[in-house]
Amino acid sequence: EDVQARTITEDGRIFMEKAARDGLETVWDRYRAQQPQCGFCELGLSCRNCSMGPCRIDPFGEGPQRGVCGADADIIVARNLGRMIAAGSASHSDHGRDLVEVLRKVGEGKAPGYGIRSEEKLRKLASELGVSEDGQSVEALAVAVAEALEEEFGTRKKALAFVGRVPEKRRRIWEKLGITPRGIDRETSEMMHRTHMGVDNDWKSLLLHGLRNALSDGWGGSLIATEVSDILFGIPQPVASEVNLRVLKEDQVNIVLHGHNPIVSEMIFQAAQDPELMGLAEEKGARGINLAGLCCTGNELLMRRGIPMAGNHLMTELALSTGLIDMMLVDYQCIMPALGETARCYHTRMVSTSDKAKYPFMEHREFHPENARDLARDLVREAVENFVRRIPAKVLSPPGAPVKMMAGFSVEAIVSALGGSAGPLIDAIKSGAIQGAVGVVGCNNPKIRHDYGHVTLTTRLIENDVLVVDTGCAAVAHAKAGLKVPEAAEKAGPGLRQVCRALGIPPVLHMGSCVDNVRIFDLAAALAHALGTDISDLPLAAAAPEWYSEKAVSIACYAVASGVYTVLGTPPPIFGSQNIVKLLTEDLEGLLGASFAVEPDPARAADLILERIRAKRAALGL
Ligand code: BF8
Ligand code: SF4
C-alpha cells in the first residue's frame, strides 16, 4: 500500500518507509492484517455480555433477530454504546481522580516538588464547591477542596457541583429528561449495571443514561482533571513552540513523554532543568536535554511549558523509528501495547510509570506523589546515560525544520487576548466577521488517511470565517499543517483574518488535551450566559473527523447533551439499529437542541457544519 494513501504528513511518509526498512510492523500493517473486520461488530450487533452468548443479530433479517436472552438489535446496540461511554467516562474521570490525590498530598505536605501554581483557581473552585476559605492556609484549603472533589465522585448527590456552570435553560432540559449527572463514579457504575443481562432493556432509557454518564465526564471527571491541573501546574497562557518529528535532536538527549496525565511529565520537566544533569549530558557529548511530547501528555506540557510536540497518535511508533529517542516515558491511555516491542529495535529505554498501566517490554518505574521528584531525577539521569548507546546505523535524523506553532489558549488566556471580557468575541460573531466557532477534536484512526480529516475540515471552516478551537490529536494535526501561527490568518476568510490580525492570534486556537475539551464548553457556557441564551442557540458545532477512542464517544455524547451539534468522521457502531440512528441523528434535536451527524468525507462535514451555523445565526436574527 502506498504511504501517500496512509498519511498527508511528510515526516509520516519518511518514517513509514524507514520503519519498513527496519522490519517494523506498524498500526497500518496490523490494520490491514485485520481485514475484513467483523461486520456484526461494526454495526454494533454482537453481544458478549454474558455466557449464554456470544450472540449476533443478522442485519439482513434472515438469521437470528434476538440473542439467547431475547435482546434485539436495539437493545444490543444501545448496551454496547452505553459501555463505550462508560469506559470513556471512567478513563477521563480516573485521570481526574489522580490529580485530586496529588492536590491533597500537596496540601498535606507529602508531595515534594509539587505545589499550588494557581491560588486563584484554587479559590474559584473552593467557592463553587461551597468550601469556606475563612482563615484557611493555602495548604488547608487545598486539602478541603480535594476532599470536596472526592465527594463529587461519590453517590449521595442530586447534581454535580459544576452543573452550576451550565446555563439555566440547559439545566432544565437535563432535569426534564432525567439526565442531570450525579456522582461521577455512580453514573459509570450504573451504566455497567444497566447493561448486565436482564436489567435495562429499553433502548431509549439506556441511551438517556448514556448521556447522563457522558455528562458526568464532561461536567465532572474531565473538568476536575483540567481545573486541578491548572491549580497544580498553572493556567496555560499563549506560548510559542514547534511540532513534528524534527523536534527530536540528533545532538541532544531526547526524552519523549507520552500519555495523558501531567503528574509525571511535570516532574520530568523540572528534573531536565537541573544543572547537574545538564552538565552530565554535556559530559556525555550531548548539547542538552531535549523534551518532546506525544499525544495528550505532550499537549499538557506544550500548553503550560511550550515543550514541542513530536506528533499525534499515529506517529507514536514512527517516532521510535527515528532511533533518536533515548527514553520514552508513558503514563496511560492511547499508548499502543506494540510500542515496547517496537523500541527493542533501537536503544530506546521504555518506561511505564503508573500503577494502573503496564505494557509488554517496558520497565515499570512507579510514580507516586511522595517519590516523584526523586524518581524523575533518576530517570532523566538514566536517559542521559543512554545517549551514548544510540545505534548510528539505525538513526535517521528527520530532514528539514519543525513547523512553528502557538498554543496555550485557556479560556482565561482567550479572554485576556480579547482585552478582559468575551465582549469583543460576541461583537465579532454578531457583526458576522466571525460566523461561528467549531471545536475540531479527537484522535487519529488508520481507517482514515492520517491527519487528512482534521486538516481538510479545519481549512474549509476557517476559509468560511469560522473560528476553530481544538484539542488532542486534532490540534497536533492542525499545528503540523501550519494552521497554528498568526500568519495562518492568511488562510482564513476576510472577517476572521481581520480579527486574528488585530489580536495577533492564529485562526485555530489550541485549547489543550482531550480532558481540556471542558475548556471549550466553559467558553460556550460563558458566551451563552453573556447573551442570556442557551448553548444550543449559539452558532457552534463540534467535530471528531478521525476519532477512535471510547473517550471520544463520551466526549461526543456530552457535547450533544450540552447542546452542541457534533459531526463524527469514523462511523460509530450504531448502524445495526435504525431506531437508534434516527434518535441520535434526528430526534435528539427536539429533546436537546442538538444531534449527531456521521460524515466520513471532511469536505462534506464542513458543509453540514456551515449549514448549521447559518441556521443558528438566522434564528438569532444575525
Ligand atoms: O485523549 S485525541 S488518540 S491521545 S483519545 Fe488518544 Fe484520541 Fe489522541 Fe489524547 Ni484524546
Ligand atoms: Fe447473548 Fe443476551 Fe448474553 Fe448478550 S446478554 S451474550 S445477547 S444472551
Side-chain angles (χ1 to χ4, degrees), residues 66 71-82 85 191 194-195 199-211 574 577-585 587-588 591:
R66 290 180 187 278
D72 62 13
D74 297 333
I75 294 171
I76 289 177
V77 170
R79 282 197 306 217
N80 289 338
L81 187 64
I85 296 169
M191 180 54 89
R194 284 179 186 240
T195 51
V199 185
D200 196 353
N201 288 294
D202 177 321
W203 57 272
K204 294 186 262 345
S205 144
L206 277 164
L207 292 177
L208 283 174
H209 183 69
L211 295 176
I574 58 169
S577 162
Q578 284 317 303
N579 282 329
I580 290 175
V581 170
K582 180 168 175 298
L583 178 85
L584 296 180
T585 59
D587 303 347
L588 277 187
L591 297 170

Side-chain angles (χ1 to χ4, degrees), residues 95 99 114 117 229 233 255-273 291-305 307 329-332 353-354 367 372-373 376-377 379-380:
H95 161 176
L99 284 150
Y114 296 99
R117 269 280 200 10
S229 295
F233 308 121
I255 302 177
V256 172
L257 300 139
H258 178 15
H260 284 79
N261 195 318
I263 292 173
V264 171
S265 49
E266 283 280 344
M267 281 296 122
I268 297 286
F269 173 79
Q270 286 183 27
Q273 320 280 309
L291 300 186
L294 284 169
C295 290
C296 287
T297 283
N299 279 321
E300 298 273 355
L301 278 173
L302 166 69
M303 290 286 285
R304 298 195 181 83
R305 311 275 171 250
I307 295 297
L329 288 130
V330 305
D331 49 82
Y332 42 54
T353 57
S354 160
F367 272 72
R373 185 171 60 186
R377 280 182 54 91
L379 286 168
V380 171

Side-chain angles (χ1 to χ4, degrees), residues 228-245:
V228 177
S229 295
D230 283 358
I231 292 172
L232 292 171
F233 308 121
I235 300 173
Q237 293 301 324
V239 63
S241 190
E242 298 183 324
V243 64
N244 76 29
L245 287 183

Side-chain angles (χ1 to χ4, degrees), residues 267-287:
M267 281 296 122
I268 297 286
F269 173 79
Q270 286 183 27
Q273 320 280 309
D274 187 306
E276 189 200 321
L277 294 172
M278 287 162 76
L280 181 66
E282 256 173 62
E283 260 170 53
K284 300 279 172 195
R287 285 188 48 196

Side-chain angles (χ1 to χ4, degrees), residues 288-433:
I289 302 172
N290 179 41
L291 300 186
L294 284 169
C295 290
C296 287
T297 283
N299 279 321
E300 298 273 355
L301 278 173
L302 166 69
M303 290 286 285
R304 298 195 181 83
R305 311 275 171 250
I307 295 297
M309 285 297 281
N312 48 8
H313 179 52
L314 287 186
M315 293 302 291
T316 56
E317 292 170 297
L318 301 184
L320 287 168
S321 77
T322 59
L324 286 172
I325 301 179
D326 300 300
M327 181 177 282
M328 183 185 285
L329 288 130
V330 305
D331 49 82
Y332 42 54
Q333 298 170 14
C334 305
I335 295 146
M336 291 190 220
L339 289 184
E341 191 163 3
T342 302
R344 298 212 304 168
C345 187
Y346 307 94
H347 78 302
T348 307
R349 294 262 308 266
M350 298 294 295
V351 180
S352 55
T353 57
S354 160
D355 58 349
K356 53 191 124 194
K358 297 188 178 180
Y359 307 82
F361 303 111
M362 291 197 198
E363 304 168 51
H364 189 66
R365 306 281 288 275
E366 213 163 286
F367 272 72
H368 295 281
E370 293 83 354
N371 75 349
R373 185 171 60 186
D374 293 343
L375 183 52
R377 280 182 54 91
D378 291 348
L379 286 168
V380 171
R381 179 185 305 276
E382 291 170 35
V384 169
E385 280 161 0
N386 201 31
F387 174 74
V388 296
R389 298 193 196 101
R390 282 196 195 157
I391 308 167
K394 285 196 174 166
V395 167
L396 176 63
S397 264
V403 178
K404 298 214 176 306
M405 68 181 293
M406 242 178 124
F409 291 96
S410 57
V411 176
E412 292 83 348
I414 292 174
V415 168
S416 114
L418 291 167
S421 85
L425 180 57
I426 292 172
D427 292 343
I429 292 174
K430 281 186 176 162
S431 77

